[in-house]
Amino acid sequence: MPTPKYMYVRLDELKAAAASVNVYGVVVFFKQPFRSRGTDWCSSLKIVDQSNKKVGCTLFCEKLEDHPQIFKNGDIIRMHRVKTQLYNGAITLVNTFGFSAVTFDGAPGSAVEPRTSSRSFHFDQDDRRRVEELRSWAGGQAALPRDAAAVPLSSVRPRAFFDLTCQLLAKAPMDTTCTLLRVWDGTRCPHPQVEVMVEPHAVEGPASFSKDKESLVANVFVYDNHVESARALKPGDFLRIYNLRALQGSSKGPGLATEPSEAGGPLIFHLHGGTSYGRGIRVLSENCPDVQELKRYSMGPRLDQDQAPVLIGPPGTGSGIRTCSLL
């Protein structure tokens, strides 16, 4: 069977009411998938290419995993079988029958590793060339928005919003609108944290750690629309949590004691509801550069005896099951 030859349209050459086109672009804005008013998951993003034309995209997929695996602004995306529509006088892209998407890290020099949930997809030297060309072009565009690096727990500032790359150790439902995620990133938060009380039988993963190891763990409370996403997470997953808030004080919320405050007191980490500022949770793939950096940091020289390495699968099994030595 001959290899299919795909034709790609530059963004400035898109025509209104095109039934099906294929495009490449650099992501300059994105929101994590969220439940639509129907049964589908919806995500939105904006892309640009060498024509400097920016085009918005709205994607509806029945399954969460069918949405593009976008980790940050600057990622490269390839979309097959999208159609054009006019919205407020501008051309936008929406998915159509047979839609598929593949994404790549946008950093020049990084491995060209396709990220996709599809079991099979077409990718050849022409695709590799397109990715490299877009990387090179985007790297020279000072005006393109770029995400700041994720903030490690050791650098968290009270009252700040930040992105966190971490590993999930355990989780527990607190009530119908809140789920607790217990995470670590190999560094120690310099600020004391609010004490959380959870019934051991409610915890998926270890219910407790030793006192020394507990000091490496951050308690993240996720609310509202993010609770459904949290249900799919498994202990051992590597995560990027976007627009996380470091509040000071404690809370009258589930498992906590008193009221939150804007100044003074221990820290509590909140992922508020909604999708503003890209707020959400994304499971990162094993080959994601941020995960590789997390592994290198966690498996490198220890700053103290509590910073144990992250292990990927039981030794000698080759299973790829993710575990953490804190577990």
Side-chain angles (χ1 to χ4, degrees), residues 1-262:
M1 185 174 180
T3 302
K5 186 67 176 178
Y6 291 94
M7 303 298 294
Y8 295 92
V9 180
R10 279 170 48 117
L11 298 182
D12 64 340
E13 296 175 348
L14 291 171
K15 306 297 182 182
S20 179
V21 295
N22 308 314
V23 298
Y24 262 97
V26 180
V27 176
V28 293
F29 168 82
F30 70 100
K31 282 188 176 182
Q32 296 298 332
F34 56 92
R35 278 288 188 188
S36 68
R37 293 180 179 178
T39 59
D40 288 343
W41 291 84
C42 176
S43 63
S44 60
L45 60 146
K46 184 174 289 187
I47 61 175
V48 67
D49 65 7
Q50 293 96 326
S51 69
N52 275 315
K53 177 70 173 180
K54 293 181 180 178
V55 176
C57 312
T58 302
L59 309 175
F60 292 90
C61 298
E62 182 180 355
K63 297 179 180 178
L64 182 61
E65 58 268 25
D66 290 338
H67 281 267
Q69 297 182 38
I70 301 170
F71 298 157
K72 57 189 175 183
N73 286 328
D75 279 357
I76 309 297
I77 186 168
R78 184 191 79 182
M79 291 186 287
H80 284 176
R81 292 172 290 278
V82 289
K83 63 181 181 180
T84 61
Q85 289 183 348
L86 280 179
Y87 180 74
N88 288 339
I91 287 180
T92 62
L93 293 171
V94 297
N95 54 313
T96 187
F97 180 76
F99 166 78
S100 67
V102 181
T103 56
F104 308 84
D105 188 272
S110 62
V112 183
E113 296 282 354
R115 302 194 298 251
T116 178
S117 61
S118 300
R119 293 185 178 181
S120 63
F121 59 93
H122 175 76
F123 184 77
D124 59 20
Q125 285 303 116
D126 285 342
D127 292 285
R128 183 177 296 274
R129 175 182 56 79
R130 288 179 181 274
V131 171
E132 296 288 10
E133 288 176 351
L134 275 169
R135 282 176 170 178
S136 178
W137 173 79
Q141 305 300 306
L144 291 185
R146 291 174 172 82
D147 284 349
V151 175
L153 290 172
S154 58
S155 299
V156 167
R157 293 179 300 159
R159 300 185 298 281
F161 287 93
F162 65 101
D163 296 346
L164 177 67
T165 300
C166 57
Q167 188 179 34
L168 179 63
L169 303 177
K171 66 176 187 175
M174 304 302 289
D175 61 22
T176 58
T177 64
C178 177
T179 294
L180 170 68
L181 304 182
R182 310 209 70 206
V183 304
W184 84 313
D185 70 353
T187 73
R188 187 192 304 276
C189 180
H191 307 280
Q193 294 186 58
V194 170
E195 185 175 353
V196 182
M197 297 171 288
V198 184
E199 292 294 336
H201 65 81
V203 179
E204 181 179 348
S208 62
F209 302 99
S210 69
K211 182 177 180 181
D212 288 338
K213 292 178 179 178
E214 188 71 35
S215 66
L216 294 172
V217 179
N219 295 310
V220 176
F221 290 84
V222 303
Y223 290 93
D224 302 331
N225 56 300
H226 307 300
V227 169
E228 185 170 3
S229 299
R231 291 194 189 106
L233 302 178
K234 300 297 181 184
D237 282 343
F238 289 98
L239 310 176
R240 185 76 174 258
I241 306 177
Y242 299 86
N243 201 235
L244 186 61
R245 183 87 188 273
L247 289 172
Q248 278 189 295
S250 49
S251 171
K252 287 185 177 179
L256 302 171
T258 56
E259 186 67 23
S261 64
E262 288 293 321

